[in-house]
């Protein structure tokens, strides 16, 4: 016993100056309403402001961890006596008996080794902490650094992780659940082990009654109070977006040298709706090989309102929204048709759906029969490949590429014959940017995700500067394209994307080998793009743009359209009456929506390079 007592004797240890408290800077990201969606940088947040918490929150931790916190000078002799008895019984340094101040000292300066030397140094540091800092400061430091499991360090991170709210809004039962975690974050995880968590939380509540922090009636009500625990971090889908803006916003590259707050454009309701729609699509169409996808939504000013780069960020952090370049399929055809409208054609211009060969390449349609003479409006609505290929050849494929770049495509555009069917590789983000031009009255704006960056004290260090939109499409071509793309949703390949009561236009896209499936669409002030596929590039089974992507788009937009401010599709300059182009052949008798399928896979006898793949719808 003498060696143990000697090691714990403060008189035998020569106090040295207290080491400085070190904490790496953090960047806190907020959504458009000011809610926290993520943190980057250092592990620990700033000290918790005890005065801004409900009184029962710190009381819960004190009751279960250190009842005499406010009366001891850094260590608790009674607790130490119990530790000595345990030492004698077990023949080693006891883990129990540590006060909150001792735990903080260990977290700040020491390892978790269970040695007598470490225990003695812990006592010295704890005593010095008590001499330098107030009890509230010590408790605030402690609550900012303890580990709560699931990657959450500190009270604020834990509150956001498990309850999707700030610690300032915790209920009594939620506070007890969090106070139960430090003893064993794994065993008392409320998401993974709800029964063990509840039992430990009830012990916390009982301890709070014993210390006088709450009444018996408050304990009884808290024990039965309903509580929602998030099994997965509620902000998980937003991590793709945070990664993206971190690399595309001035001042966010590299490790921060001071705490920063980033005010973003993201709308959490829309973001969660996009993530949910994407998850449901992969589950519903798993047997058809759908394993991954992306959803991007922009408002009319280019603000990113939703940005989901994959099904599960925890499993894969690769961003399919901004970094995955895939073939656009027939979602590319609006660029072809717009080029034709600007060259003088109209939606009623007659063309012929018949076999065509261009530079040795013969595109195929899905249906074996050719339709013969049809209008351009029908050609787009039914996504006829022969018509698009011949049209691009007539107006000039370099002109089509120029149109795509003018609208917002930034990736390299090929100009071989098959480019008309979307063989160029693009990202969902740039497709959203290009389609947004058609949704914004013909004005092109750049997509962006950060409104403002400020220091912890409120000083603005970055402010997004809006630039005047660039006129990219004029009338009548803009109005004509909007009308034809309304037709895609009204009676063409995109009927599953329709949202009753809203002015919707868009285009489906699927590559001939079923590797990529898209739906890109818009209403006034909101554009959204959905891509579905597989990371390994292997084909899906029968997934076309008008099936799973259109369903996913509909599921997302059904929520977003009722949450974000939208309008009818703006008509541009000058503003003719809104139109929906109905081809003459469809005006005399109602026609059922066509099956949402695309072109047949390319003939195996034709070249199989990307530049020779025909496209679906």
């Amino acid at each position: 016993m003498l060696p143990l007592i000697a090691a714990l004797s403060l008189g035998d240890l020569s106090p040295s100056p207290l080491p400085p408290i070190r904490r790496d800077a953090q960047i806190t990201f907020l959504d458009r309403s000011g809610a926290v969606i993520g943190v980057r940088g250092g592990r620990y947040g700033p000290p918790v402001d005890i005065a801004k918490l409900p009184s029962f929150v710190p009381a819960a931790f004190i009751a279960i961890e250190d009842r005499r916190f406010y009366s001891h000078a850094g260590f608790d002799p009674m607790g130490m006596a119990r530790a000595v008895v345990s030492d004698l019984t077990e023949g080693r340094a006891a883990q129990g008996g540590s006060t909150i101040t001792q735990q903080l000292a260990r977290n700040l300066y020491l390892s978790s080794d269970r040695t007598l030397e470490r225990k003695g140094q812990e006592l010295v540091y704890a005593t010095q902490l008590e001499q330098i800092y107030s009890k509230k400061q010590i408790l605030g430091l402690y609550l900012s650094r303890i580990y709560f499991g699931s990657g959450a360090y500190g009270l604020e991170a834990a509150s956001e992780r498990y309850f999707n709210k700030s610690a300032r809004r915790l209920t009594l039962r939620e506070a007890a659940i969090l106070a139960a975690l430090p003893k064993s974050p794994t065993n008392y995880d409320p998401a993974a082990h709800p029964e063990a968590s509840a039992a430990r939380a009830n012990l916390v509540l009982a301890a709070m009654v014993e210390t006088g922090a709450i009444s018996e009636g408050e304990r009884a009500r808290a024990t039965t109070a309903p509580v929602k625990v998030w099994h997965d971090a509620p902000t998980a889908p937003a991590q793709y977006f945070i990664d993206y803006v971190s690399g595309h916003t001035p001042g966010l590259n590299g490790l921060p040298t001071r705490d920063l707050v980033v005010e973003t454009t993201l709308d959490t309701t829309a973001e969660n709706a996009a993530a949910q729609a994407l998850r449901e699509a992969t589950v519903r169409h798993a047997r058809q090989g759908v394993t991954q996808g992306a959803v991007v939504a922009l408002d009319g000013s280019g603000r990113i309102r939703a940005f989901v780069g994959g099904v599960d960020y925890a499993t894969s952090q690769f961003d399919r929204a901004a970094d995955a370049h895939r073939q656009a399929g027939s979602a590319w055809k609006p660029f072809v048709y717009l080029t034709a409208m600007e060259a003088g054609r109209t939606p009623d211009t007659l063309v012929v759906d018949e076999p065509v060969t261009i530079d040795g390449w013969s595109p195929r349609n899905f249906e074996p029969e050719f339709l013969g003479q049809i209008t351009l409006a029908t050609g787009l609505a039914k996504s006829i490949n022969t018509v698009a290929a011949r049209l691009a050849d007539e107006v000039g494929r370099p002109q089509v590429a120029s149109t795509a770049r003018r609208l917002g495509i930034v990736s390299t555009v090929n100009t071989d014959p098959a480019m008309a069917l979307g063989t160029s590789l693009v990202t969902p983000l740039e497709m959203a940017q290009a389609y947004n031009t058609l949704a914004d009255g013909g004005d092109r704006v750049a997509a962006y995700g950060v409104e403002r960056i400020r220091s912890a004290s409120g000083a603005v260090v970055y402010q997004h500067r809006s630039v005047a939109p660039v006129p990219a499409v004029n009338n009548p071509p803009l109005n004509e394209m909007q009308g034809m793309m309304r037709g895609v949703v009204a009676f063409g390949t995109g009927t599953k994307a329709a949202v009753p009561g809203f002015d919707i236009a868009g285009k489906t896209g699927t590559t001939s080998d079923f590797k990529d499936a898209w739906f890109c669409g818009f209403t006034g002030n909101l554009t959204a793009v959905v891509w579905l596929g597989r990371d390994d590039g292997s084909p899906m089974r029968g997934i076309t743009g008008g099936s799973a992507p259109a369903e996913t788009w509909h599921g997302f937009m059904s929520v977003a359209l009722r949450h974000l401010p939208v309008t009818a599709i703006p008509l541009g300059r000058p503003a003719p009456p809104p139109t929906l182009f109905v081809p003459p052949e469809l005006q005399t008798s109602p026609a059922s929506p066509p099956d949402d399928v695309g072109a047949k896979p390319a003939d195996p006898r034709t070249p199989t390079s990307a530049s020779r793949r025909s496209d679906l719808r």
Side-chain angles (χ1 to χ4, degrees):
M1 183 172 182
L2 290 177
L4 176 62
I5 295 175
L8 298 181
S9 171
L10 294 178
D12 291 342
L13 293 170
S14 299
S16 57
L18 197 65
I21 297 175
R22 300 188 182 279
R23 186 182 73 84
D24 293 332
Q26 287 188 332
I27 303 176
T28 300
F29 293 84
L30 310 179
D31 71 1
R32 68 190 291 251
S33 66
V36 176
I37 56 175
V39 176
R40 294 290 189 272
R43 172 180 292 177
Y44 305 115
V48 173
D49 189 342
I50 300 299
K52 294 182 178 180
L53 296 175
S55 60
F56 54 73
V57 175
F61 289 87
I62 290 172
I64 198 67
E65 292 287 334
D66 185 3
R67 294 189 184 187
R68 285 175 285 277
F69 173 70
Y70 285 111
S71 61
H72 64 62
F75 60 94
D76 181 4
M78 294 181 64
M80 290 175 59
R82 289 194 300 270
V84 170
V85 172
S86 178
D87 280 348
L88 295 174
T89 302
E90 301 182 21
R92 61 179 179 85
Q95 191 174 14
S98 293
T99 64
I100 284 176
T101 314
Q102 287 175 259
Q103 293 180 54
L104 176 61
R106 184 190 317 146
N107 184 288
L108 291 173
Y109 308 122
L110 303 168
S111 70
S112 58
D113 296 338
R114 301 178 188 178
T115 65
L116 296 179
E117 182 181 0
R118 194 274 295 162
K119 191 71 172 180
Q121 192 65 53
E122 176 186 297
L123 288 171
V124 172
Y125 285 147
T127 303
Q128 290 178 282
L129 285 170
E130 292 276 352
Q131 294 170 351
I132 297 175
Y133 299 102
S134 69
K135 288 289 188 179
K136 284 187 176 180
Q137 288 175 319
I138 289 172
L139 189 56
L141 277 167
Y142 169 77
L143 290 177
S144 72
R145 289 181 170 255
I146 51 177
Y147 183 56
F148 288 89
S150 295
Y153 288 86
L155 178 67
E156 192 63 38
S159 183
E160 296 285 355
R161 163 61 186 88
Y162 293 111
F163 305 119
N164 195 29
K165 62 172 67 173
S166 168
R168 302 178 187 182
R169 298 174 48 227
L170 287 170
T171 66
L172 176 55
R173 179 158 186 80
E174 290 167 344
I177 290 173
L178 294 184
L181 279 165
K183 180 178 177 63
S184 179
T186 300
N187 294 329
Y188 297 122
D189 183 329
H193 305 289
E195 294 182 0
S197 171
R200 174 73 175 168
N202 288 340
L203 289 178
V204 174
L205 292 170
M208 295 178 73
V209 173
E210 294 172 5
T211 59
I214 61 173
S215 67
E216 178 59 38
E218 289 173 319
R219 182 204 65 80
R221 289 189 292 273
T223 300
T224 58
V227 61
K228 175 178 174 54
V229 176
W230 291 74
H231 286 263
D232 299 308
T235 59
Q239 304 314 300
Y240 289 108
F241 170 73
I242 293 174
D243 287 349
Y244 170 74
V245 297
S246 294
H248 290 79
T249 304
L252 291 183
N253 295 309
L255 295 175
T257 58
R258 57 175 168 165
D259 287 345
L260 296 174
V261 177
V262 179
E263 301 172 9
T264 77
T265 62
L266 198 73
D267 183 278
T268 296
T269 299
E271 177 77 353
N272 290 338
Q276 179 67 19
L278 187 58
R279 284 192 299 267
E280 290 176 354
T282 57
V283 171
R284 186 166 53 247
H285 298 282
R287 292 187 176 181
Q288 293 171 274
V290 179
T291 60
Q292 272 299 346
V295 181
V296 177
L298 310 178
D299 71 10
S301 298
R303 301 181 187 91
I304 299 174
R305 296 306 194 189
F307 186 105
V308 181
V311 176
D312 183 6
Y313 183 84
T315 301
S316 171
Q317 291 81 53
F318 176 65
D319 178 10
R320 298 154 189 84
D323 294 336
H325 289 74
R326 309 294 292 242
Q327 288 191 348
S330 284
W332 185 266
K333 287 178 182 174
F335 308 142
V336 176
Y337 279 76
L338 176 58
T339 306
M341 298 299 110
E342 292 176 333
R345 291 167 176 77
T346 72
D348 293 325
T349 296
L350 293 175
V351 291
V352 180
D353 174 24
E354 62 184 357
V356 60
T357 298
I358 302 171
D359 294 342
W361 169 66
S362 300
R364 303 291 185 92
N365 295 328
F366 183 83
E367 300 294 341
E369 299 83 11
F370 293 97
L371 299 181
Q373 190 176 74
I374 59 174
T375 62
L376 285 183
T378 297
L380 183 66
K382 292 182 176 292
S383 203
I384 305 300
N385 289 336
T386 59
V387 170
R390 176 175 286 167
L391 196 61
D393 190 55
E394 291 174 355
V395 300
R397 292 185 294 277
Q399 283 67 38
V400 174
S402 177
T403 298
R405 287 190 288 268
R406 176 164 30 104
L407 265 64
I409 296 299
V410 296
S411 295
T412 302
V413 178
N414 69 64
T415 56
D416 58 34
M419 71 89 72
L421 308 187
T423 56
S424 294
L425 302 178
V426 292
T427 69
L429 178 60
E430 63 184 311
M431 287 293 282
Q433 188 170 259
Y435 270 65
N436 205 37
T437 302
L438 300 175
D440 194 32
D443 291 336
R444 187 183 77 243
V445 294
Y448 73 97
V450 173
E451 297 283 12
R452 185 179 298 105
I453 303 175
R454 53 184 169 83
S455 68
S457 63
V460 175
V461 298
Y462 168 83
Q463 177 71 52
H464 174 77
R465 302 296 180 188
S466 297
V467 296
V470 178
V473 187
N474 294 316
N475 275 314
L478 172 64
N479 183 240
E480 291 168 339
M481 285 304 305
Q482 291 171 340
M484 287 195 291
M485 294 173 75
R486 286 186 180 99
V488 172
V489 177
F491 52 78
T493 59
T495 55
K496 291 183 179 180
V499 182
F502 290 90
D503 185 16
I504 303 294
K507 185 67 186 77
T508 56
T510 320
T511 54
S512 62
D513 45 18
F514 295 100
K515 290 181 179 180
D516 301 287
W518 302 73
F519 187 85
C520 309
F522 54 86
T523 188
N525 204 41
L526 191 63
T527 298
V529 166
V530 172
W531 167 82
L532 295 178
R534 300 172 63 89
D535 283 341
D536 62 6
S538 60
M540 298 175 288
R541 290 181 286 280
I543 293 295
T544 65
S547 60
E551 294 168 3
T552 304
W553 195 92
H554 171 89
F556 161 64
M557 290 291 272
S558 294
V559 176
L561 289 175
R562 291 169 174 81
H563 175 68
L564 294 170
V566 296
T567 65
I569 299 170
L571 302 173
R573 301 170 300 273
T579 58
L580 166 65
F581 290 110
V582 180
E585 60 267 30
L586 298 179
Q587 293 177 2
T588 56
S589 61
S592 59
D595 292 335
D596 184 30
V597 292
K600 283 185 177 179
D603 190 317
R605 294 169 295 181
T606 63
T608 58
S609 67
S611 64
R612 288 295 184 266
R613 293 173 183 162
S614 73
D615 170 72
L616 306 186
R617 298 178 179 177

